[in-house]
Structures are given as C-alpha cells and as structure tokens.
Amino acid sequence: MAEIIIRNLRKEFGDFVAVESSSFTVGDGEFFMLLGPSGCGKTTTLRMIAGLELPTSGEILIDGDEVGQRPASQRDIAFVFQMFALYPHMNVRKNIRYPLVSQGMPADEVRTRVDEVARILGIEAILDRPVGGLSGGDRQRVALGRAIVRNPKCFLMDEPLGALDAEFREHMASELRSLHDRMGATTVYVTHDQREAMQMGDRIVVMNHGIIEQFGAPQEIYDYPATLFVADFIGSPPMNTLDLDGTLPTGSAHVTLGDQSFAIRPLTEPATGALALGVRPEHVSFDDQSAYRGTVTAIEYLGTTQIITLDSPNGTMKARQPSGIPIREGESVGLAFRSELVTIFDRDTGTAIGSERPAGGDNG
Ligand code: ATP
C-alpha cells in the first residue's frame, strides 16, 4: 500500500504541453480515477507515475520517496495496460507466476503466492488450463492475477476495460472494485468514461487539455461542478446551462428568469457579465405555478425515466422525469429547479461562481 503525492507535474513533448502543472494526492488504499476526453493528458500522467515517461518538471512521491527520475523497475508498481496481454504459450499458472519466477523467487513461495492470488480471483479451477481457450472475463482475471501476485505498492491501470462490450464492462468494473475493496491496494485508474469513473472511484481528477479541471469525490463533482467543462463532461445527459445576463452581488440568493424568481445557494462572490445557470436534468421539475415556461420539443423514453427536451426562453434544456408522467410534444409546462443544486457559472472564465454549500466545501 502507498500514498502517491503529485506536485506541479509537467510534461512537454517538444513545444507541446501534454500535462500543465498537476498537483494531487492519492491516499493510501484509495481507488483513484484520472478522467477526461482523449488527449487530455491522463495516460501521460499515469506513465510518469509508472516511470515509463520522465517528467519535464515536478515531483512524484511514493510513500514519501521522490521517484520522478527513477526507472520503472525501482518503483514497485504494477502497470495494467490491457488485461488481455497474456503469454499465449503458457497456461494460467505459468502466466501468473511469471513475474515471480523472473525475479528468482524460491519455488515454494511462488506456489503459495499463486495459490493465494487464484483464491482471491476465484480461478483455482482453471490454473492448469491453457489461456487460449479462456473466456474474456477469465483472461482478464489471469492478467490481473499476474499484476497482483507481485504484491506491488500500487496498481496503475490504463483503460483496462476499454475493449469490452458495455454489459460485460459494467460487470468487470464492479468485480474490479470489489477486488480492490478486499485487497485495499492503492490504485490509479485512467478512463475517458465518466460512468466508469463515478461507479468505481473513491475520488476523481477531471482533466482537460493537460489541466486539472476539478478534483474530488464522485458526488462532489457531480453536484458541484467547478467548471462548465465538468458540468458538461459529467452526467448523461449533461448539466443544462441556461444563459443568464446581469449582475449578482455577493450574498445573492435568487436569480430571475423571465418573470420568475428562483432560489439559489447564496453567492460568496459577485458575478457579472455573461453567466449561466447550471441545473442537472433530474433537478428540473414541472410546476404549474411557475411563470417560467418551456415547450416540450422531444421525449426520449428510457424505461424507468424519460428525458424531456424543452425550448425555454434561456436556451434548450432537458428534464429527467419518471416515465409515468403524461406529457406530449408541443405542450407548455411551468418549470422549477432544485435550488440547492443550482450552480451559477461565469461563461467567460468557464468557472463556477463561489456559493455556500449545505455540507460545506469549496465551489470553484
Ligand atoms: P487517450 O485516451 O487518447 O490516450 P489521454 O488523455 O490519455 O488520451 P495522452 O495519451 O496522455 O492523452 O496524450 C496527451 C497528449 O500528448 C496528446 O495530444 C498526445 O498526442 C500527446 N503525446 C502523448 N505522447 C506523446 C509523445 N511521445 N510525443 C508527442 N506527443 C505525445
């Protein structure tokens, strides 16, 4: 187990800055996600932690030791790129024990460790089978076994479930998470899939263009996005961001849309210029008493819920409602928002305006 501290980590490839100046701490035993769109710098960050890429500047501390300029072999880290990467000519047992045998570990100890790992992963019965005929799930368990057997300080995983179809991916994600809960090893996991990050992570770093946009627990990031990028990237459908012009002094606890006033969390700083009111689709409700109205333009049935698209005076928005609610395209509905989960953004800077929180914390 290990704590990983990243301080002002930067990586340049020639003139191109892949990672600007990242700072975050991965707690001992934490399942930590690096999340962002393709090209945002998450793999480069992970490769620097692994020692496969040297930082241009900044520090990487693993359990207090500065390892930034040390080779991968001196970091006691297991890197899982792609769980299907097995040695095809070896059976399951030989695949798993390979890293120990190549270290010259005594045979008795190797056998004990492999048996222990097979038990943890529930693959005792297939230890002597060739890897060629295994199912995708078993192949992944074997590849994980090969990483676990070394008993490394931490695991680094780069989109390990990326090649799987959606249903199996979800299953393996929860299996990986429960494996983590049993082993408690510090894990840093790269994904571009916000659902996977929310499902598995204790905490998430959201990256964009080499910059950390936000860093926090899944619900914190979901409820209080620090930037418009996070508001849009996290959530499906993403957060609605309605145009809002005007000046809101510090302490403002209401905004006006059309003829209707809406309560918001009191602002802890002033907001002026081009603003946006951010509200998640499930925090939009229909209220006959509201003077603020939208017209239904589309209805998407999703089984237990339906996504209703509306034209409002401040832009297109979506509302998530239970499927039972009768509603038709073309209908005009009064709109209300769950005030404690509304965020005001500055469109020019793309950041959230600071506001009070029911449970404390920092917003933007
Ligand atoms: P993806 O999921 O697509 O891999 P990512 O967020 O992991 O995305 P990185 O692989 O970290 O992104 O790449 C960040 C940026 O750095 C990209 O624009 C990529 O083209 C660039 N990059 C990565 N490695 C190199 C390299 N060796 N030389 C030059 N540019 C690189």
Side-chain angles (χ1 to χ4, degrees):
M1 297 228 277
E3 180 190 61
I4 304 171
I5 298 174
I6 304 297
R7 276 197 206 126
N8 305 320
L9 195 64
R10 183 179 175 87
K11 180 67 186 178
E12 297 168 6
F13 293 109
D15 290 342
F16 180 74
V17 182
V19 177
E20 278 270 350
S21 177
S22 286
S23 296
F24 56 87
T25 297
V26 184
D28 191 16
E30 199 169 20
F31 202 117
F32 192 90
M33 314 301 284
L34 292 178
L35 171 68
S38 182
C40 72
K42 50 197 190 301
T43 293
T44 304
T45 303
L46 197 73
R47 286 173 62 80
M48 287 193 279
I49 300 173
L52 300 172
E53 204 76 74
L54 290 181
T56 306
S57 58
E59 291 179 316
I60 301 167
L61 285 89
I62 299 181
D63 268 349
D65 287 339
E66 159 61 36
V67 297
Q69 301 298 322
R70 279 195 216 157
S73 57
Q74 290 176 22
R75 298 195 189 190
D76 197 8
I77 274 171
F79 200 108
V80 185
F81 299 90
Q82 232 272 20
M83 292 193 186
F84 290 103
L86 300 176
Y87 300 114
H89 57 286
M90 296 181 187
N91 67 15
V92 170
R93 184 187 302 278
K94 287 180 180 166
N95 261 282
I96 293 178
R97 77 183 183 195
Y98 183 81
L100 304 184
V101 171
S102 47
Q103 277 171 25
M105 185 179 280
D108 277 3
E109 199 178 333
V110 169
R111 198 171 311 114
T112 309
R113 286 245 209 139
V114 172
D115 287 347
E116 165 75 5
V117 164
R119 194 183 51 73
I120 291 171
L121 293 168
I123 53 172
E124 297 106 310
I126 60 166
L127 274 177
D128 295 312
R129 296 246 307 263
V131 293
L134 298 180
S135 68
D138 282 341
R139 287 172 71 85
Q140 287 195 306
R141 290 181 192 98
V142 176
L144 257 184
R146 205 169 57 195
I148 293 169
V149 80
R150 283 178 39 212
N151 203 14
K153 275 191 177 160
C154 49
F155 293 98
L156 306 181
M157 303 191 183
D158 193 355
E159 305 254 12
L161 310 180
L164 303 176
D165 64 56
E167 200 179 330
F168 190 52
R169 192 177 169 133
E170 206 159 304
H171 170 74
M172 281 308 291
S174 58
E175 198 169 296
L176 252 186
R177 177 68 225 204
S178 67
L179 178 68
H180 171 83
D181 291 342
R182 274 177 281 144
M183 295 186 51
T186 309
T187 303
V188 185
Y189 186 109
V190 160
T191 181
H192 66 273
D193 180 338
Q194 52 101 16
R195 280 190 55 193
E196 195 169 276
M198 304 286 276
Q199 180 188 0
M200 297 170 83
D202 292 317
R203 283 190 303 162
I204 302 173
V205 155
V206 185
M207 293 185 72
N208 184 30
H209 295 306
I211 291 170
I212 293 181
E213 295 265 340
Q214 192 170 1
F215 170 38
Q219 190 173 358
E220 152 113 5
I221 287 175
Y222 189 78
D223 284 349
Y224 305 112
T227 65
L228 282 168
F229 174 83
V230 175
D232 189 63
F233 191 73
I234 305 273
S236 178
M239 190 175 234
N240 297 297
T241 49
L242 300 176
D243 291 328
L244 183 71
D245 279 316
T247 297
L248 299 170
T250 301
S252 297
H254 289 87
V255 293
T256 304
L257 293 179
D259 295 330
Q260 183 71 41
S261 171
F262 292 99
I264 57 170
R265 286 173 289 119
L267 299 184
T268 55
E269 57 182 340
T272 53
L275 306 175
L277 179 145
V279 58
R280 297 228 172 256
E282 58 275 30
H283 303 146
V284 177
S285 56
F286 297 157
D287 175 1
D288 282 345
Q289 307 301 313
S290 174
Y292 190 68
R293 303 192 76 80
T295 304
V296 177
T297 58
I299 300 169
E300 193 185 344
Y301 175 72
L302 296 177
T304 53
T305 61
Q306 53 188 337
I307 305 295
I308 296 152
T309 307
L310 301 127
D311 262 349
S312 83
N314 299 68
T316 300
M317 60 188 296
K318 290 183 188 280
R320 187 189 291 275
Q321 293 289 310
S323 292
I325 288 184
I327 192 134
R328 288 183 317 278
E329 280 183 35
E331 199 172 328
S332 164
V333 288
L335 298 168
F337 308 132
R338 209 171 131 191
S339 58
E340 75 278 17
L341 291 171
V342 164
T343 299
I344 306 296
F345 296 94
D346 182 325
R347 283 226 186 257
D348 293 330
T349 62
T351 56
I353 307 293
S355 54
E356 288 176 16
R357 293 227 199 130
D362 182 27
N363 188 13

